[in-house]
Amino acid sequence: MAETKATCPYCGVGCGVIIQHDGARVIEVRGDPAHPANFGRLCTKGSTLHFTARPESRLLYPSLRKARDLPRSRVSWDDALDAAAERFASVIKESGPDAVGFYLSGQLLTEDYYVFNKLVKGLIGTNNVDTNSRLCMSSAVAAYKQTLGADAPPCAYEDFDHTDCLLIAGANPAFAHPIAFRRIEAARAARPGMKMIVVDPRRTDTAASADLHLAILPGTDIWLFNAMLHVLIAEGRVNAPWIEAHTEGFDALREHLRAITPEVAAKVCGVPAEDILTAARWWGEAAAPLSLWCMGLNQSHHGTHNGTALIALSLALGKIGQPGCGPFSLTGQPNAMGGREVGGLSNLLSAHRDLANPEHRAEVAALWGVPSVPEKPGLSAIEMFEAVRAGKIRALWIACTNPAHSMPSQALIREAMEQCEFVVVQEAWGNTETAKYADLLLPARTWAEKEGTVTNTERRITHVNPAITAPGETRADWVIARDFALRLGHRLGHASTARLFDYPSAESVFQEHVESTRGRDLDITGLSYAVLDEHGPQQWPFPEGAQTGRVRLYADGKFASANGKARFVIPAEALTAESVDEAFPLRLTTGRLRDQWHGMSRTGKAARLYSHTDEASIDLHPVDLQRAGIDDGELIRVSSRRGSVILRARSAAEIRSGHAFVAMHWGRNLLSSSGANELTLNALDPFSKQPELKHAAIRIEKVELPCQALLMRSAVYADAANGLALERLAALEPWLRRFDYASASLAGREFPSVVLRIANATPIPPEWLEELDALMDLQGGQCLSYADTGRGISKRALIEEGLLTGLRLTGETAAAVWLKDLMVERSATDALRRWILAPLATPPVSGNSRGRIVCTCMNVSENEIRTAVAGGADFAKLQETLKCGTSCGSCVPEVRRLENSYVIALVP
Ligand SMILES: Nc1nc2c(c(=O)[nH]1)N[C@H]1C(S)=C(S)[C@@H](COP(=O)(O)OP(=O)(O)OC[C@H]3O[C@@H](n4cnc5c(=O)[nH]c(N)nc54)[C@H](O)[C@@H]3O)O[C@H]1N2
Ligand SMILES: Nc1nc2c(c(=O)[nH]1)N[C@H]1C(S)=C(S)[C@@H](COP(=O)(O)OP(=O)(O)OC[C@H]3O[C@@H](n4cnc5c(=O)[nH]c(N)nc54)[C@H](O)[C@@H]3O)O[C@H]1N2
Ligand code: SF4
Ligand SMILES: [Mo]
């Protein structure tokens, strides 16, 4: 077995991993003890990467639709890229370069981005290249630029160890940046005086572990930060000499804040004025105050000002660039930072240069050896899809992102994709929602198969290595971009294309990127693959001659603006773009679950990652459910002005009354609807163009879906179990939208089961059930079966080797919970056999349902933890007896929360 170093391809913490493999298959992963992001730790998602690196549903060869109404068929790479070049060239010749668009991803490697960016801006001559970072980091980018002069997060993870007051706003790192949160937990344990404040409308596991949780009303962060600054000024805690020497705009902001007292803000934010005062004092008194933020601030129609208002709290104290201090934006995707470095947004240029600046444009043109780069800003993500819908963009190239799931207002996105003349999708897996719209589908290499670099949240660059031979005809993303560029340049008559795209290796691309940073704030001219391999991952800047990268920025009070000063910005105190009213009285927010990643194309393949949450749901306060006459677990209709979906209602004490939460992960691959983004809206921040994915007004209604069914299937033998479950899961996808509600998932661990839940207003046609039985191998005489046609009930159970391995319940699903446990736990069926098809809600013999699994590594359920807590166990005892929270630690915040069961105050 060989070992190869890479990084985890999920979140922006950027943990180092060691891939254990045999050259063809990934066998195991473990944390890289030498990597400075994680020192060997991995969370639930990172530690299960080997379960997701599987062949099922992988794209292996290019396929092309020869005409609109024909299915795609397999083609060679030459034919695929020629067809693409032909179509793009003809659109460019007929309608100009702005009639094509490229929509990329913060999950590409820096080298991939670099080549795409040069292709679009340098060769085609349009700035219509944007990424999903527009949905993610672009407000933080704009906020850093407006205040500090450049898009450079000034802090580092080691600041967690030095801060006295950590203010986490609009982020849930316990779920979304788990290894960073492990470091925060360790810092708090080492320094018990350290304060942690969390600003989040929901009582997340992050919030539940804070010293102070400000459960503000959605969209009111600016009011809170302004009131905190008001207090700092009123109590004389601001650093006037430092402000005078290193900033501008403070006096105007002070004037602006005069009326924003904690009492005023308290009314708007819906939290007590005393709590705002406490937060301000803790922050003001701290020798080293540090803020962290993520999507709760960025995904807002005033996301930029959310950021600038938070950054102002650090600037007012002059607490930036020193250990434990500063405004630290968390990067979502693994290489969103790399994308920002190469200028991978439609308004940016390479190495933090600005499109609007003629000198910068000339520099980039000279570097690339092209006459000019276009001046006109390109379209941002949402604008691009609007232009596609309007027919202004005629050919669209999508790489490494799944907009038919992740963009707001899905109805609009579907319309755009359906009517676009030519859609290219460059993907690793073939079963994404977006892949269905591809006229040309190109198979990309992915994690464990490709080489390049990534930059994490703390500006640290890691060299990522390929471990295994890439499957089928897959190619690296930058190679696809290069080979397309060569063909397109030829057709557009650019004589120099071969020289511009003369990249023999990923390293040659990196070298050119390095050169583009010379003299810039992110100068990395001291770095190469060799340096990274020899000395390990490095933070930027790392100029030629440097021995190490810079841990923190702006220690000297010199900022990246033209006059070297930081700026205070007067924020617009807006609220949410859409307010609630009689028709849509509830406030929806959306976000992440602990164990799933975005559209689940990868995490959705590891059965154990469903054990924490196995079905999409809408979380509502118990009081709101009661008022609407809805039971916990009932299916309900959820509607906004954009669309309507059916979801399972979940009673959730962590949410305020009047509010709701839907996780962003479930889409049409696993659910009968597009989930959260059917409901969201595309209100944009004026500076960052980031859409307000976090807030929408909704209503809920009861629905009558009396015809319910449950199908489950697992395998007897381990070797085939995983592959079979994944194949069956993929086969169910086309079925999901036949029903009013349907949801597919996996369950179990070494022997995954596939699970399909169905609910319909009208009886499910018997011939459909037969087809589903056939899909699940549940036909034939070896099944136990029961039918009562008059009452619409039919049931089937398959018992193999004394284990329940197949189940279909139709019309009467009361026993679903314990039968699911029976299958997943692989318990012997001997004593239960005669009860399996009986209408029993609880198991006839001893044993409670295990319920959801809290500790994924050690397989410990919520019920087991609750029982132990009721018996007097504290956290240490739980760890000792049940072993929960003793491996990756991702469940520690939740186990602690279960230990101190809480009740959130009701706010009507
Ligand atoms: N498990 C997991 N981890 C991930 C990802 C994943 O898909 N799964 N994705 C990665 C990516 S790309 C990103 S961008 C990050 C996102 O990381 P986070 O931003 O931490 O995660 P979210 O759950 O999107 O949102 C954070 C919180 O914002 C809160 N919020 C909503 N509205 C407001 C508001 O008006 N004000 C405030 N203060 N808070 C509000 C929500 O209640 C939510 O708890 O996660 C990364 N890590
Ligand atoms: N409602 C709501 N919507 C949201 C958000 C939210 O909080 N709420 N968050 C937004 C944010 S912050 C983000 S970042 C986006 C994320 O949204 P997306 O970018 O759509 O998320 P992913 O599912 O990660 O898409 C990445 C795709 O790339 C594929 N892939 C994996 N590796 C490779 C590779 O090496 N090459 C190529 N070519 N493809 C590969 C994967 O299979 C996957 O389909 O979602 C946004 N949408
Ligand atoms: S925290 Fe988890 S998801 Fe994020 S990089 Fe580390 S292992 Fe991967
Ligand atoms: Mo993101």
Side-chain angles (χ1 to χ4, degrees):
M1 189 142 75
E3 296 200 325
T4 303
K5 283 194 176 195
T7 52
C8 169
Y10 299 127
C11 85
V13 177
C15 298
V17 298
I18 295 175
I19 306 172
Q20 295 168 295
H21 59 94
D22 62 7
R25 279 176 325 139
V26 175
I27 292 158
E28 203 47 93
V29 282
R30 58 190 168 91
D32 178 357
H35 198 288
N38 57 320
F39 300 106
R41 306 199 75 154
L42 293 176
C43 75
T44 46
K45 297 180 296 298
S47 59
T48 48
L49 270 164
H50 51 298
F51 295 115
T52 69
R54 294 194 51 97
E56 292 85 9
S57 327
R58 264 309 284 276
L59 278 175
L60 296 175
Y61 49 80
S63 60
L64 176 71
R65 210 189 297 280
K66 302 246 163 66
R68 239 304 118 99
D69 35 8
L70 290 180
R72 280 185 310 266
S73 53
R74 179 173 180 168
V75 288
S76 70
W77 268 107
D78 278 336
D79 287 351
L81 292 175
D82 278 336
E86 205 58 53
R87 290 300 288 267
F88 272 69
S90 78
V91 168
I92 293 165
K93 282 180 199 156
E94 283 167 33
S95 308
D98 290 340
V100 301
F102 289 75
Y103 183 56
L104 314 177
S105 165
Q107 296 171 60
L108 290 169
L109 305 180
T110 302
E111 291 74 2
D112 301 327
Y113 268 126
Y114 188 89
V115 178
F116 264 115
N117 211 37
K118 185 172 179 181
L119 153 71
V120 184
K121 291 173 180 168
L123 183 73
I124 300 178
T126 176
N127 286 312
N128 284 345
V129 52
D130 215 51
T131 76
N132 59 1
S133 293
R134 190 66 70 180
L135 315 181
C136 182
M137 304 313 309
S138 62
S139 293
V141 172
Y144 275 135
K145 288 174 80 169
Q146 286 188 7
T147 53
L148 310 182
D151 173 25
C155 313
Y157 296 144
E158 60 182 76
D159 288 322
F160 299 147
D161 299 332
H162 303 293
T163 181
D164 304 295
C165 179
L166 180 63
L167 171 62
I168 303 179
N172 181 14
F175 277 20
H177 297 90
I179 298 303
F181 202 65
R182 299 288 84 74
R183 293 182 69 161
I184 292 169
E185 285 169 344
R188 292 176 82 200
R191 307 173 74 232
M194 172 183 163
K195 295 278 194 284
M196 187 168 110
I197 307 168
V198 173
V199 185
D200 194 309
R202 297 187 304 139
R203 194 165 176 88
T204 59
D205 282 353
T206 307
S209 64
D211 299 297
L212 176 63
H213 172 206
L214 292 160
I216 61 166
L217 292 171
T220 64
D221 298 82
I222 292 179
W223 292 85
L224 170 70
F225 304 148
N226 279 353
M228 286 173 67
L229 187 49
H230 176 104
V231 175
L232 296 174
I233 295 169
E235 299 192 347
R237 293 188 189 275
V238 299
N239 186 341
W242 191 90
I243 292 174
E244 176 64 30
H246 301 294
T247 70
E248 56 191 23
F250 185 69
D251 292 343
L253 181 59
R254 186 176 44 206
E255 270 316 297
H256 177 79
L257 298 181
R258 213 173 272 282
I260 306 180
T261 61
E263 290 71 28
V264 168
K267 286 209 183 72
V268 181
C269 300
V271 294
E274 304 86 82
D275 286 357
I276 301 181
L277 205 61
T278 305
R281 288 188 179 146
W282 285 359
W283 181 263
E285 284 162 10
L290 180 70
S291 65
L292 273 187
W293 85 95
C294 205
M295 291 309 122
L297 297 197
N298 287 345
Q299 288 172 340
S300 152
H301 76 126
H302 48 82
T304 303
H305 282 176
N306 283 341
T308 62
L310 182 64
I311 293 169
L313 290 176
S314 294
L315 292 176
L317 303 180
K319 297 281 189 184
I320 188 167
Q322 304 148 35
C325 297
F328 198 5
S329 111
L330 287 162
T331 328
Q333 299 176 93
N335 195 34
M337 281 285 276
R340 288 146 76 173
E341 289 156 21
V342 306
L345 286 170
S346 62
N347 55 328
L348 303 178
L349 273 180
S350 303
H352 291 177
R353 288 180 180 84
D354 263 318
L355 207 57
N357 182 327
E359 277 167 38
H360 284 182
R361 288 201 303 279
E363 281 169 23
V364 173
L367 258 162
W368 283 346
V370 296
S372 64
V373 288
E375 179 181 354
K376 187 178 139 201
L379 298 176
S380 70
I382 302 290
E383 296 167 324
M384 195 180 284
F385 280 83
E386 280 169 349
V388 170
R389 189 175 60 154
K392 289 182 190 146
I393 287 185
R394 297 173 49 200
L396 181 65
W397 192 299
I398 298 167
C400 201
T401 176
N402 184 14
H405 167 260
S406 54
M407 288 251 191
S409 300
Q410 277 296 310
L412 184 158
I413 303 300
R414 283 196 295 273
E415 234 183 274
M417 306 269 276
E418 266 156 25
Q419 71 95 55
C420 187
E421 285 173 44
F422 192 63
V423 179
V424 182
V425 177
Q426 190 169 320
E427 243 296 341
W429 278 274
N431 62 336
T432 71
E433 286 82 354
T434 305
K436 298 179 183 63
Y437 294 96
D439 296 299
L440 177 62
L441 189 54
L442 300 175
R445 294 187 180 173
T446 183
W447 178 81
E449 300 160 5
K450 54 196 273 195
E451 177 172 32
T453 51
V454 292
T455 310
N456 72 5
T457 290
E458 60 164 3
R459 292 172 280 108
R460 192 180 291 280
I461 301 176
T462 303
H463 180 205
V464 179
N465 297 289
I468 55 170
T469 317
E473 295 180 8
T474 55
R475 290 187 180 175
D477 288 288
W478 70 268
V479 170
I480 301 174
R482 176 197 67 188
D483 294 349
F484 170 69
L486 292 171
R487 287 171 163 83
L488 181 69
H490 169 71
R491 285 175 174 77
L492 295 176
H494 293 307
S496 55
T497 316
R499 181 176 49 76
L500 292 187
F501 292 91
D502 179 19
Y503 299 122
S505 62
E507 189 169 13
S508 64
V509 180
F510 185 70
Q511 281 159 353
E512 189 175 308
H513 165 57
V514 163
E515 201 42 48
S516 77
T517 67
R518 190 174 292 280
R520 305 288 307 161
D521 68 315
L522 74 168
D523 192 326
I524 50 168
T525 46
L527 289 184
S528 63
Y529 281 6
V531 170
L532 291 171
D533 291 341
E534 198 174 327
H535 302 287
Q538 299 295 332
Q539 286 179 283
W540 60 248
F542 196 116
E544 213 166 355
Q547 293 306 305
T548 57
R550 202 170 310 148
V551 179
R552 294 177 194 87
L553 306 179
Y554 313 127
D556 55 1
K558 277 208 195 71
F559 291 90
S561 59
N563 62 4
K565 290 194 169 189
R567 265 173 304 234
F568 286 96
V569 174
I570 297 185
E573 281 91 0
L575 298 170
T576 53
E578 189 173 59
S579 40
V580 289
D581 56 21
E582 251 172 59
F584 297 97
L586 292 172
R587 298 160 179 275
L588 171 73
T589 192
T590 65
R592 285 154 176 83
L593 298 177
R594 193 190 73 189
D595 291 354
Q596 293 297 345
W597 178 261
H598 298 162
M600 301 166 74
S601 68
R602 284 168 284 176
T603 47
K605 296 195 165 62
R608 66 183 66 189
L609 293 182
Y610 289 86
S611 65
H612 194 237
T613 306
D614 71 344
E615 190 182 5
S617 69
I618 175 163
D619 295 358
L620 290 155
H621 194 278
V623 161
D624 293 332
L625 282 179
Q626 210 178 8
R627 251 183 231 145
I630 293 165
D631 291 331
D632 186 14
E634 203 176 319
L635 289 169
I636 58 171
R637 181 175 298 285
V638 185
S639 315
S640 77
R641 289 192 174 78
R642 272 85 34 205
S644 158
V645 297
I646 290 172
L647 290 170
R648 203 170 291 285
R650 192 181 80 91
S651 172
E654 64 268 23
I655 208 154
R656 291 171 74 137
S657 167
H659 294 226
F661 174 81
V662 176
M664 66 165 294
H665 306 294
W666 273 271
R668 292 183 164 223
N669 266 335
L670 296 166
L671 193 65
S672 44
S673 74
S674 295
N677 284 328
E678 202 65 35
L679 306 168
T680 49
L681 73 163
N682 53 0
L684 302 188
D685 176 280
F687 309 103
S688 68
K689 306 282 174 73
Q690 181 156 353
E692 183 154 291
L693 286 159
K694 281 278 176 277
H695 312 296
I698 56 160
R699 71 162 168 260
I700 55 171
E701 290 152 290
K702 276 183 92 78
V703 277
E704 293 302 324
L705 303 175
C707 308
Q708 308 218 342
L710 171 88
L711 272 97
M712 281 190 73
R713 187 70 164 95
S714 68
V716 188
Y717 302 107
D719 49 356
N722 212 356
L724 268 173
L726 287 171
E727 278 165 26
R728 287 176 177 141
L729 189 68
L732 287 178
E733 187 269 331
W735 282 85
L736 299 173
R737 271 168 307 287
R738 290 202 190 179
F739 305 101
D740 292 319
Y741 176 83
S743 147
S745 62
L746 297 175
R749 293 168 76 83
E750 282 78 19
F751 299 84
S753 309
V754 54
V755 184
L756 175 69
R757 296 180 172 95
I758 299 171
N760 227 24
T762 52
I764 304 164
E767 59 278 16
W768 288 10
L769 290 175
E770 270 167 40
E771 278 184 63
L772 282 169
D773 284 346
L775 261 183
M776 298 286 216
D777 274 327
L778 276 178
Q779 37 351 8
Q782 78 277 41
C783 285
L784 305 175
S785 56
Y786 167 87
D788 179 344
T789 359
R791 291 165 57 219
I793 297 171
S794 83
K795 301 183 188 181
R796 274 174 180 229
L798 180 64
I799 294 171
E800 298 173 289
E801 312 272 337
L803 300 171
L804 178 67
T805 57
L807 182 71
R808 171 168 63 74
L809 304 177
T810 316
E812 191 175 71
T813 52
V817 173
W818 69 269
L819 286 178
K820 184 177 168 204
D821 267 9
L822 189 66
M823 187 182 297
V824 167
E825 298 300 327
R826 298 173 69 78
S827 317
T829 51
D830 307 343
L832 295 166
R833 203 179 164 98
R834 48 195 279 256
W835 303 105
I836 284 178
L837 298 181
L840 289 185
T842 49
V845 285
S846 71
N848 289 322
S849 146
R850 289 195 74 206
R852 56 197 284 277
I853 304 296
V854 171
C855 177
T856 306
C857 304
M858 308 311 286
N859 194 12
V860 185
S861 78
E862 177 172 346
N863 291 345
E864 285 147 9
I865 296 170
R866 284 194 191 278
T867 308
V869 169
D874 62 4
F875 182 72
K877 189 81 190 164
L878 291 171
Q879 283 195 314
E880 188 195 316
T881 52
L882 298 176
K883 301 279 180 277
C884 51
T886 55
S887 181
C888 86
S890 297
C891 66
V892 166
E894 186 172 351
V895 174
R896 285 196 184 280
R897 177 163 60 73
L898 293 173
E899 181 201 353
N900 321 298
S901 299
Y902 65 88
V903 183
I904 189 170
L906 302 192
V907 184

